[in-house]
Amino acid sequence: MIGFNVLGFLISWATFLGIYSILSISLNLEVGFTGIVNFGKVAFYAIGAYIAATVSTYTILMLYNIRAAPYTTEGIIALGKYEYLNPFLDAGLFLLAIVLGFAISGIVGYLLTYPVLRVGPEFVGMTLLAFGELLRIFFQNYQPAGGSKGLMSIPHPLGWLRTPLIKDGLYTLIVLGFLVLIYLYSQKLVNSPFGRLLKAVRDDEVAALCLGKHVPRVKATILFISSGFAGIAGVLMAFYLSAINPNMFMAVVTFNIWGMVILGGMANNLGAIVGAAILTFIDRALTFVTPNLGITIITPDYIRWMSIGLLITLVLLFWPRGMVPEKPVETPPLKLIKKRGDRNEHNA
Amino acid sequence: MSNKLTTAMAISLIIGLAVGYGISFVAPPLSQITTTITKTLSGGSAPPAATVTVTTTITQEGKPKTYKIGVTLPLSGELSSIGKMWQYVITIAFDDLNKNAQAYGLNVKFVPVILDDATQDEKALENVQTFAQQGIKVIIGPAASSQVKVVKSYADTNHIVIISPSSTAPTLAIPNDYIFRTVGTDALQAKALAALVAHEGIKKVVVFNRHDEYGMAFAQFFKKYFENDFGGQASLMSYTTGLSDYSAEVSSLSSKVQSFGAEAVVLISFDTDGANILSHASQDPVLSKVRWFSSEGIHGASELQDPSLASWLVQVKFLGTRPMQPHNVLYKEFVKEFKAKTGQEPPVFSANLYDAVQLAGWAILRAHQYDGSAIKAALPLVAKNYFGPSGWTLLDENGDKAVQDYAIWTIKQTSNGKYAFTDVGLYSGGSISLNIKS
């Protein structure tokens, strides 16, 4: 018997859709709009997740005067006892983690501009990929962050609600709320003069420099903003899962996000969401489909990767610019021209 | 006129619904028969182990009362090879559970609701949430400890009983939570290994372990038991995993063994890393003079049967521990049934999975109500009185299998001149019995 429940399916899918859409918008700002090849996106996601985990667990233990680290059995037991006593504390910790997750991930992204500029555009991807792996190994060996065991009992901001459907549904709305805010901000950003500058840097960095544009500052700014967004996604994921470990932040996560951006369409924020929606839907739907397959010649793993590979190939063959291709920047004159065009059509 | 009629009909409908809803609370429930049965809980048809009283409710119409049990399996991902075979175990276990319940006159039916967690932490949580939203209160799985960690907080908050058949991380040994495990933790095996090393007269050891949750936790528990219970001295040394060659790490180990004055090395590894470490150690004069011990992680690695390495292992009197499949009648019956269905031997932890299903079913009946807290309270009592293919399922204060026997294994030369993995002893009830002279 397969446990299919439409509402439950929608809630769990929408949560992952929200988190991965934030990540794909974040990557799209770098690679799609600015031309920064980032193979280390997972690092900023991990920073956000670890900030959420450490800030929330250590704060609760400190406030209740528990002299145990959150990764020890004593700490885990104490967290289980105290984590949902005060809903305001849980909500406060969530908001604090969001702010810190954005700020610290953003600052790390900003600082990475220095090595990125030194190695030149050809090696940016590899440099950031190496940074991601370096950070994962650091977390694996850094005991205060749980080391290889990771951290658990991260207090859910709505954990005090007793009805699973309401709790999960509300958290999904919070995640989608963040997605809407980030999408609107990103749309505003890429349609502003700064957005046009991003595209100029992407299309011809030397030309942008010759025109007097401060390319390093542009790259640093966009890395700050997009890394901060990835940090927020990490925070949302950590509170959703309530436990994290270093193996969740392997390089494959980055390539999954790349798949979403390629599928949806580079330099289009809506495309990034469409790509995330398709891949997370396939992922979630297979959970229900796989138990029906039984023992087959092709294992479900291969079915997943084959179907995604086939989909990306088809999209690149028939829509090389992705399912939702890049659109011109919505400048005021363009809006005016469009408006006049609409009016003329209407009159005709 | 028609508008008025529509309005009147809508009002009547709403009033009718409200009245009907109210009546459902006031009206007496369907007549029910409460049956009290004193029954013997055991898997299959083997001799009884203990008795327990189960009370259940049967509806008068004779329609069986259905209980859904969630099952989250690794049908894809890293553990998919065993996950797919576990699907057959689930079928056998639910068939047996339903047959047994009906044989005792209980008009109930247990139905598995299976979802794939792809051996991923996030998907395990999604599955548990999906089950919770459907009102399911008992879940079998997930398989990996990292997955159990992710679902623990959700299960505790929402009063959902989780029974994992294969999670062994000692960090999950937490009392009064909703996590139960039908397999002994690595802490138990660490104790068995410490007892084995002490039994061999060793007082000073270097523990060379993987730098991951399995290796770190195992090493720390080994040190604790070896020093506190057996008066030995253990120095811990971990190595980074995922390397293609461990020669540099083995050189450091050699220096450590010499400076510490160790009499033995305890290796906590998986198969490929462990085999590489042993092959380098066999070339090192210092490491060839000390004894070597290991856990179950390296058992089965084909490199250990290579004559040059195997002869060195014989020379250093290599011994290891591994969770032993209990050779009881119920296990043999289970294997026979599994083979008849699949034509293959059951994979690791199959017996523990089978017993997890039985415990879940009988705990629901014993609880008298389909409620997480009541089932949680009933489960240890049922487990105390149940003996299945994995043996006696008694749970400790943390909800983990309290009694787990371990086989002691080594590499031995067989009559045809080849080397093979051989069980040479047993750790049971805290004592070691060996069939070979050390």
Side-chain angles (χ1 to χ4, degrees):
Chain A
M1 183 180 175
I2 308 306
F4 190 79
N5 169 281
V6 177
L7 191 59
F9 174 83
L10 287 177
I11 287 174
S12 61
W13 172 53
T15 312
F16 275 91
L17 163 67
I19 291 168
Y20 277 98
S21 294
I22 293 172
L23 284 170
S24 56
I25 287 175
S26 148
L27 183 68
N28 208 12
L29 286 176
E30 292 162 357
V31 69
F33 289 99
T34 321
I36 302 170
V37 180
N38 188 349
F39 289 147
K41 180 63 31 194
V42 71
F44 308 99
Y45 181 49
I47 290 170
Y50 268 94
I51 284 168
T54 48
V55 165
S56 58
T57 55
Y58 276 98
T59 307
I60 287 181
L61 291 178
M62 203 175 65
L63 288 176
Y64 288 99
N65 205 21
I66 308 295
R67 293 182 185 278
Y71 51 85
T72 61
T73 308
E74 296 77 25
I76 294 164
I77 292 170
L79 283 166
K81 200 172 162 188
Y82 297 112
E83 62 185 346
Y84 298 128
L85 287 185
N86 187 341
F88 295 106
L89 176 64
D90 294 339
L93 286 172
F94 175 73
L95 291 175
L96 179 67
I98 289 282
V99 172
L100 288 177
F102 176 80
I104 296 174
S105 299
I107 290 167
V108 173
Y110 183 89
L111 292 176
L112 272 174
T113 317
Y114 291 96
V116 161
L117 289 172
R118 282 184 73 87
V119 296
E122 296 85 4
F123 299 104
V124 169
M126 292 311 289
T127 309
L128 293 173
L129 176 70
F131 173 71
E133 271 299 282
L134 192 79
L135 195 75
R136 187 180 66 81
I137 293 167
F138 168 75
F139 282 131
Q140 201 163 32
N141 290 278
Y142 186 57
Q143 201 52 38
S148 51
K149 288 181 277 195
L151 289 168
M152 57 192 284
S153 292
I154 302 163
H156 192 288
L158 303 169
W160 46 274
L161 286 171
R162 288 286 167 237
T163 313
L165 199 62
I166 295 173
K167 188 179 86 168
D168 300 338
L170 283 177
Y171 193 74
T172 303
L173 290 179
I174 290 174
V175 171
L176 293 179
F178 274 102
L179 170 63
V180 169
L181 285 177
I182 285 169
Y183 173 76
L184 291 177
Y185 177 80
S186 302
Q187 280 297 96
K188 190 100 180 150
L189 185 81
V190 298
N191 285 309
S192 68
F194 183 74
R196 294 200 294 279
L197 183 55
L198 293 179
K199 288 190 176 183
V201 170
R202 176 195 68 184
D203 294 339
D204 198 329
E205 201 175 314
V206 178
L209 274 168
C210 292
L211 287 168
K213 302 299 175 190
H214 200 315
V215 173
R217 191 182 294 158
V218 172
K219 286 188 174 181
T221 308
I222 207 67
L223 271 171
F224 174 81
I225 294 167
S226 60
S227 303
F229 287 166
I232 289 177
V235 171
L236 292 171
M237 180 63 95
F239 279 106
Y240 177 60
L241 293 180
S242 79
I244 57 165
N245 65 64
N247 290 337
M248 287 179 178
F249 305 105
M250 307 281 261
V252 70
V253 176
T254 300
F255 296 111
N256 209 15
I257 304 161
W258 267 86
M260 292 169 185
V261 174
I262 293 169
L263 198 63
M266 292 263 191
N268 190 316
N269 289 323
L270 189 64
I273 295 174
V274 170
I278 292 169
L279 291 200
T280 51
F281 180 84
I282 291 175
D283 236 23
R284 189 70 192 123
L286 277 176
T287 300
F288 298 89
V289 174
T290 313
N292 275 331
L293 298 175
I295 306 289
T296 53
I297 300 168
I298 301 168
T299 72
D301 278 342
Y302 295 126
I303 291 172
R304 181 188 185 277
W305 291 113
M306 279 167 68
S307 54
I308 289 170
L310 184 70
L311 192 63
I312 289 176
T313 310
L314 288 174
V315 166
L316 290 177
L317 274 175
F318 297 103
W319 302 286
R321 293 164 67 207
M323 296 178 90
V324 189
E326 183 180 354
K327 285 181 180 157
V329 176
E330 293 275 333
T331 55
L334 183 73
K335 280 181 189 168
L336 199 68
I337 292 166
K338 272 187 179 176
K339 209 173 171 182
R340 280 182 186 164
D342 289 347
R343 203 182 300 150
N344 290 342
E345 269 179 30
H346 185 72
N347 291 341
Chain B
M1 183 66 189
S2 68
N3 273 353
K4 278 186 179 175
L5 186 68
T6 312
T7 312
M9 280 174 71
I11 290 168
S12 309
L13 188 67
I14 291 164
I15 291 170
L17 281 172
V19 170
Y21 186 70
I23 285 171
S24 69
F25 285 98
V26 182
L30 287 172
S31 298
Q32 291 173 335
I33 304 164
T34 300
T35 312
T36 303
I37 297 162
T38 302
K39 78 167 294 287
T40 303
L41 292 182
S42 68
S45 55
T51 57
V52 63
T53 302
V54 173
T55 306
T56 190
T57 304
I58 304 167
T59 55
Q60 206 171 41
E61 297 85 64
K63 206 175 173 185
K65 189 171 171 60
T66 302
Y67 293 107
K68 284 183 187 175
I69 296 177
V71 184
T72 173
L73 290 178
L75 297 173
S76 53
E78 280 180 323
L79 293 175
S80 60
S81 57
I82 60 167
K84 278 176 277 186
M85 300 305 280
W86 279 0
Q87 230 176 325
Y88 290 110
V89 178
I90 291 293
T91 310
I92 294 169
F94 273 86
D95 284 351
D96 286 357
L97 178 63
N98 284 324
K99 271 184 218 160
N100 284 337
Q102 279 154 20
Y104 289 109
L106 305 171
N107 196 15
V108 293
K109 191 180 179 194
F110 295 96
V111 179
V113 182
I114 304 171
L115 292 180
D116 172 30
D117 61 37
T119 331
Q120 287 176 16
D121 302 347
E122 299 93 327
K123 284 200 177 149
L125 179 69
E126 283 181 340
N127 289 354
V128 171
Q129 287 177 340
T130 305
F131 291 139
Q133 287 154 5
Q134 290 180 52
I136 291 174
K137 296 292 179 189
V138 185
I139 296 166
I140 309 294
S145 292
S146 63
Q147 292 179 300
V148 177
K149 281 184 176 181
V150 165
V151 305
K152 181 187 155 22
S153 184
Y154 190 87
D156 287 346
T157 321
N158 297 294
H159 299 180
I160 294 162
V161 174
I162 301 282
I163 310 174
S164 174
S166 51
S167 158
T168 57
T171 41
L172 280 165
I174 296 166
N176 301 320
D177 62 2
Y178 280 75
I179 307 293
F180 294 89
R181 298 187 287 182
T182 53
V183 65
T185 69
D186 289 329
L188 286 180
Q189 191 177 180
K191 192 172 188 174
L193 190 54
L196 174 65
V197 175
H199 179 269
E200 294 298 288
I202 308 289
K203 289 285 176 197
K204 284 181 98 174
V205 298
V206 170
V207 182
F208 194 49
N209 61 282
R210 289 173 61 85
H211 193 121
D212 61 7
E213 180 166 14
Y214 167 69
M216 297 298 283
F218 200 119
Q220 280 155 10
F221 274 100
F222 176 87
K223 183 180 169 70
K224 181 182 148 191
Y225 291 124
F226 190 61
E227 293 186 345
N228 296 349
D229 295 0
F230 302 104
Q233 268 184 284
S235 176
L236 305 186
M237 185 178 176
S238 59
Y239 62 88
T240 305
T241 57
L243 303 179
S244 54
D245 190 78
Y246 291 87
S247 56
E249 283 70 20
V250 172
S251 293
S252 306
L253 174 67
S254 178
S255 307
K256 178 86 175 177
V257 166
Q258 203 162 25
S259 63
F260 188 62
E263 301 160 69
V265 174
V266 174
L267 177 65
I268 310 300
S269 68
F270 287 169
D271 49 6
T272 48
D273 52 338
N276 186 276
I277 287 164
L278 289 175
S279 67
H280 286 299
S282 67
Q283 309 298 318
D284 187 291
V286 175
L287 297 176
S288 298
K289 282 181 191 158
V290 295
R291 290 283 305 270
W292 280 75
F293 296 88
S294 189
S295 61
E296 90 291 0
I298 197 172
H299 184 273
S302 56
E303 294 93 332
L304 270 61
Q305 291 167 290
D306 178 76
S308 59
L309 183 55
S311 59
W312 180 80
L313 291 171
V314 172
Q315 180 204 316
V316 296
K317 295 174 185 167
F318 184 93
L319 288 175
T321 52
R322 69 188 182 101
M324 193 195 73
Q325 294 288 8
H327 297 293
N328 64 34
V329 180
L330 296 173
Y331 181 69
K332 285 174 184 165
E333 265 184 18
F334 167 70
V335 172
K336 205 174 154 187
E337 202 176 349
F338 188 88
K339 271 185 172 177
K341 216 170 183 80
T342 65
Q344 294 180 50
E345 287 281 335
V348 66
F349 300 123
S350 290
N352 308 75
L353 176 62
Y354 178 94
D355 286 344
V357 172
Q358 308 305 315
L359 293 184
W362 290 111
I364 290 169
L365 294 178
R366 168 126 194 181
H368 307 308
Q369 53 182 313
Y370 195 59
D371 171 76
S373 304
I375 297 165
K376 180 197 165 199
L379 193 62
L381 302 171
V382 171
K384 192 179 172 184
N385 293 291
Y386 176 82
F387 192 97
S390 73
W392 188 22
T393 54
L394 176 75
L395 301 174
D396 63 14
E397 70 278 12
N398 302 314
D400 302 330
K401 194 167 191 255
V403 185
Q404 178 77 64
D405 294 338
Y406 293 92
I408 296 163
W409 64 276
T410 189
I411 295 285
K412 267 181 106 174
Q413 197 164 22
T414 55
S415 52
N416 60 8
K418 289 184 177 174
Y419 290 90
F421 292 92
T422 315
D423 289 330
V424 291
L426 179 72
Y427 173 84
S428 180
S431 61
I432 298 277
S433 57
L434 273 176
N435 302 331
I436 54 164
K437 283 185 179 178
S438 58

